[in-house]
Amino acid sequence: MFIESLDPRYHLAGDVLFVHGADRSGGFIEATNDAQRTEQLASITNASTAGGNHGWKQLADRLRGEGYTLTEIDEPLENGAPASGQTTGRGLDLTAGFLRGYDLVVFASNNGVYSTTSIDAVDAYLRGGGAGLFISDGNFGSDWRDAPASDTQFLSRYGLAVNQDNGTYAVRRDAGDFTTPNHPVLIGVNAFDGEGVSPIRLPTTAPAGVTLTPLARAKGTTYDNNGSSAANGFRGTARTADARDASLVLGTVGSGRFAAFFDRNTFFNKNGAGTDLSRNNNAQLVSNLFNWASDRAPPAVASSGFDQGTGNDPYVLRFRLDDNTGGTFTRDDVRLRNRRTGANLAGNLWTMALSEGNGFTDVTIRINASARAGPYQLRVERRKFADDSGNVRTGAIRYAFTLLPRASSSPAATQALRPPATTRVADDVLRGASADSSD
């Protein structure tokens, strides 16, 4: 049996903004001089592979290799900051118009306090189709509270809070640590780890219009970001992590999406402090997470194939969507009808199977050899499914194909369906090669 090979998915990566803390505003736990305070603020320009480094250059190289364009911008120093020594940053003056120039904004080593105007702008950006990734760490600030508080300013709109730094552990599939193990962000990921982690605190109920999906749980002892004493660096209250604490949370709001992750160390250059991209499946997680977060395009048909089969073999129709559907695409969304009579193909004469990979969904439809020969159409109506980022497929999908009588089938009867022309239309219309292929 011949089946046309399916093309790989090519992610249309976009522009990513990394928000970097102000010089000398980090490293309060470990740094002893100004250079170390700045180096602790993981930068995509820091290429060091020395033992214990805090650089993200290998992360940046990986993302650029996948087609992303990266920009890093520093938060400004507080007004009146000293010329040397530990400092505190302040929030950038963000506007929705400025943010719309980026497909994804990474709140990385940010530690500043943001104005309500900037927080509103980020919220409008996300609700309008933008994407955010929030990463916290104690050494991203001048005390325990700086970094988690800076992220929580934005995330509290969606019911989330970031805990303070504590704990070193791996989160593993085989240990039952993945709470949504089949999510596309975890495809190819069996374990990821962190060192000095800041779990994300979930609400008992998500705010109206917000969908939250925790992918992996937190472990051990965590600290709430509720410290009130400068004498101990505003260290919060210790408690055991519970079901409302997560190491990775995804969310959608409006037509946008966001993610919150528990550690910076996961993304360090080789030989990084505690862990790095080369450990476990950390690198694969990065690719999956950035692909999910930056995706603004609804699912499209990438390729397809149709095989007549022989004897008692089923007819086989396959097509690939260039995205994951997050469980929103089901057999109930598909209609197979005889184009000559208008009758639907009986449900007991065909089956459908889905297989999701990293950034694609393969659909395989098998039609029983006893099905009546003739011209058929597969149709998926508009707005029937979305991708895992919430982008709704607005156009219909239509396939015209012909089931040839088995007595006349031959290798020459195999039909190949091709993707739509380069000029995009509202619907994907893929037609069989036989003479009778009209709608």
Side-chain angles (χ1 to χ4, degrees):
M1 177 183 288
F2 169 77
I3 293 289
E4 180 184 338
S5 61
L6 296 178
D7 300 326
R9 178 199 192 212
Y10 294 96
H11 178 71
L12 300 178
D15 294 328
V16 181
L17 173 66
F18 283 78
V19 178
H20 185 261
D23 285 352
R24 300 182 282 115
S25 65
F28 94 98
I29 302 172
E30 301 172 2
T32 59
N33 58 54
D34 286 351
Q36 292 176 1
R37 292 182 183 104
T38 298
E39 196 271 344
Q40 289 275 349
L41 301 167
S43 171
I44 61 174
T45 66
N46 183 350
S48 173
T49 56
N53 76 79
H54 308 96
W56 277 357
K57 178 62 162 56
Q58 290 182 349
L59 165 65
D61 290 345
R62 183 179 184 89
L63 294 175
R64 289 189 177 107
E66 295 180 2
Y68 293 91
T69 300
L70 309 183
T71 301
E72 184 171 270
I73 186 170
D74 291 346
E75 292 178 329
L77 290 170
E78 281 285 7
N79 295 327
S84 64
Q86 186 76 60
T87 59
T88 301
R90 57 188 171 89
L92 294 162
D93 291 327
L94 299 175
T95 67
F98 170 74
L99 295 171
R100 277 195 293 272
Y102 297 95
D103 296 287
L104 170 63
V105 178
V106 181
F107 287 89
S109 56
N110 56 290
N111 53 53
V113 177
Y114 281 75
S115 67
T116 299
T117 299
S118 289
I119 296 170
D120 288 344
V122 172
D123 184 50
Y125 163 75
L126 293 178
R127 292 178 186 274
L133 171 58
F134 298 83
I135 305 167
S136 187
D137 189 277
N139 273 302
F140 278 168
S142 62
D143 56 42
W144 291 109
R145 66 181 179 179
D146 278 355
S150 189
D151 284 347
T152 299
Q153 294 171 101
F154 305 102
L155 291 172
S156 63
R157 295 280 179 100
Y158 319 115
L160 300 176
V162 181
N163 299 347
Q164 291 182 359
D165 235 29
N166 189 66
T168 299
Y169 50 81
V171 184
R172 306 188 61 86
R173 183 182 297 273
D174 60 11
D177 296 332
F178 291 178
T179 52
T180 314
N182 295 323
H183 194 281
V185 169
L186 295 177
I187 290 175
V189 178
N190 292 314
F192 61 87
D193 65 344
E195 187 269 339
V197 300
S198 304
I200 300 91
R201 185 68 170 167
L202 292 150
T204 53
T205 303
V210 176
T211 299
L212 299 175
T213 306
L215 297 195
R217 67 188 182 93
K219 300 180 180 181
T221 299
T222 190
Y223 285 76
D224 291 327
N225 193 31
N226 60 359
S228 58
S229 172
N232 67 351
F234 297 98
R235 191 58 156 157
T237 303
R239 59 177 176 79
T240 301
D242 60 33
R244 286 178 54 200
D245 296 300
S247 57
L248 175 57
V249 176
L250 307 182
T252 59
V253 59
S255 57
R257 68 217 64 87
F258 56 89
F261 189 69
F262 76 155
D263 198 29
R264 62 173 182 159
N265 303 55
T266 311
F267 307 144
F268 282 162
N269 301 334
K270 187 176 181 179
N271 303 314
T275 187
D276 58 54
L277 270 180
S278 68
R279 293 271 298 271
N280 298 299
N281 303 117
N282 296 348
Q284 184 63 59
L285 178 68
V286 163
S287 294
N288 295 354
L289 185 57
F290 275 75
N291 283 351
W292 177 86
S294 64
D295 184 10
R296 293 191 182 193
V301 175
S303 58
S304 62
F306 178 71
D307 194 283
Q308 293 285 348
T310 59
N312 292 322
D313 293 335
Y315 304 93
V316 181
L317 170 64
R318 299 200 306 168
F319 60 94
R320 170 170 286 188
L321 300 170
D322 67 349
D323 216 327
N324 300 109
T325 66
T328 63
F329 184 50
T330 69
R331 189 179 189 272
D332 292 340
D333 298 323
V334 175
R335 180 187 177 194
L336 298 176
R337 68 175 179 87
N338 187 301
R339 301 198 319 273
R340 184 168 292 141
T341 67
N344 289 334
L345 187 65
N348 63 348
L349 292 178
W350 64 280
T351 63
M352 186 179 88
L354 297 180
S355 177
E356 296 211 348
N358 181 20
F360 65 85
T361 301
D362 284 337
V363 183
T364 303
I365 293 174
R366 291 181 170 85
I367 301 172
N368 195 291
S370 64
R372 180 179 178 180
Y376 285 84
Q377 182 190 64
L378 173 148
R379 186 173 181 94
V380 180
E381 301 296 343
R382 294 173 171 83
R383 300 188 178 277
K384 281 294 185 179
F385 66 96
D387 65 15
D388 56 303
S389 297
N391 300 301
V392 177
R393 167 76 198 195
T394 55
I397 299 175
R398 292 181 287 155
Y399 294 104
F401 61 98
T402 299
L403 302 183
L404 299 178
R406 279 300 166 82
S408 63
S409 64
S410 67
T414 297
Q415 303 177 63
L417 301 180
R418 301 295 180 185
T422 54
T423 301
R424 295 191 62 82
V425 294
D427 297 348
D428 279 330
V429 184
L430 306 187
R431 304 184 188 280
S434 67
D436 185 7
S437 61
S438 61
D439 284 341

